[in-house]
Amino acid sequence: MQLTVRYFAGARAAAGRAEETASAGRPLDELLEELAARHGERLAVVLTAASFLVDGVACHDRRAPLPAGVTVDVLPPFAGG
């Protein structure tokens, strides 16, 4: 049971990749802990400020299990105005 994680902008640079797979069936908070451990402090810092979409919808319940097959987008804060 897998899900897809897509990284954008600074998150992509910090992770060193645009996309990867991870195990499904656990909450977003647990997924983020794994990603930070996998990619290091630079990504961990980005994840603390990022927003997350699950299949294109803002994720507000970070404790709900993520089902297999979903796509989690990691969106760091963007500059601009």
Side-chain angles (χ1 to χ4, degrees):
M1 293 184 13
Q2 297 286 307
L3 56 81
T4 301
V5 179
R6 296 189 305 184
Y7 299 102
F8 293 87
R12 178 182 294 171
R17 65 189 65 222
E19 185 175 296
E20 67 183 308
T21 59
S23 298
R26 58 201 166 139
L28 179 63
D29 282 339
E30 287 182 24
L31 172 63
L32 299 179
E33 288 176 15
E34 177 191 318
L35 296 174
R38 185 183 300 176
H39 297 293
E41 184 63 26
R42 188 170 170 208
L43 182 61
V45 170
V46 172
L47 294 175
T48 63
S51 298
F52 306 94
L53 302 179
V54 177
D55 281 348
V57 178
C59 181
H60 297 292
D61 184 359
R62 295 169 62 129
R63 295 173 295 175
L66 296 166
V70 299
T71 298
V72 176
D73 292 330
V74 180
L75 307 171
F78 294 94

